[in-house]
Amino acid sequence: MGVDIMFNFEVHGLADEAQAKSVLSTLAELVIEEGLQEHEVGMGWSVEDGQHWISGETDYPIGISRFYAWRPHFEAAFRERVHALVPTATAALNWQRLDAG
């Protein structure tokens, strides 16, 4: 059974623009590999007070079949990709189930 979800994320602790772009690229690849369309998840990088970081979010609810099984897989892949490039980065991923009642 599918559920409608939205999510957002942030990755902090990036040293510079090159790291931010590298992590952003690998997360964009993950989104596509997981069957989500690029236009469904907006993401970008920014600099604030000299600190580079990445953020992203779904633009609208996305239907995910077997969300209970997919979520742990996606979370692990997300963190693994970030930490493979920047082991000291902090990554936060937040979910909102829209059909929870």
Side-chain angles (χ1 to χ4, degrees):
M1 180 172 176
V3 298
D4 290 330
I5 60 102
M6 293 185 76
F7 66 88
N8 63 69
F9 64 86
E10 290 187 357
V11 178
H12 293 270
L14 306 172
D16 54 28
E17 181 178 335
Q19 273 191 352
K21 287 182 175 180
S22 179
V23 173
L24 189 63
S25 177
T26 196
L27 292 179
E29 290 171 3
L30 174 64
V31 164
I32 293 167
E33 288 170 12
E34 289 300 318
L36 303 173
Q37 303 300 314
E38 274 185 284
H39 68 272
E40 292 178 319
V41 184
M43 58 180 88
W45 65 274
S46 187
V47 181
E48 187 173 309
D49 297 327
Q51 302 296 311
H52 290 75
W53 58 286
I54 294 170
S55 65
E57 64 186 359
T58 50
D59 294 327
Y60 48 83
I62 299 171
I64 302 289
S65 297
R66 295 178 35 123
F67 179 68
Y68 66 90
W70 178 81
R71 177 182 173 172
H73 160 78
F74 184 79
E75 289 176 344
F78 181 90
R79 287 187 173 84
E80 286 171 10
R81 288 190 183 216
V82 169
H83 292 138
L85 295 172
V86 186
T88 58
T90 57
L93 188 56
N94 303 297
W95 301 95
Q96 180 184 11
R97 280 186 60 165
L98 302 178
D99 60 341

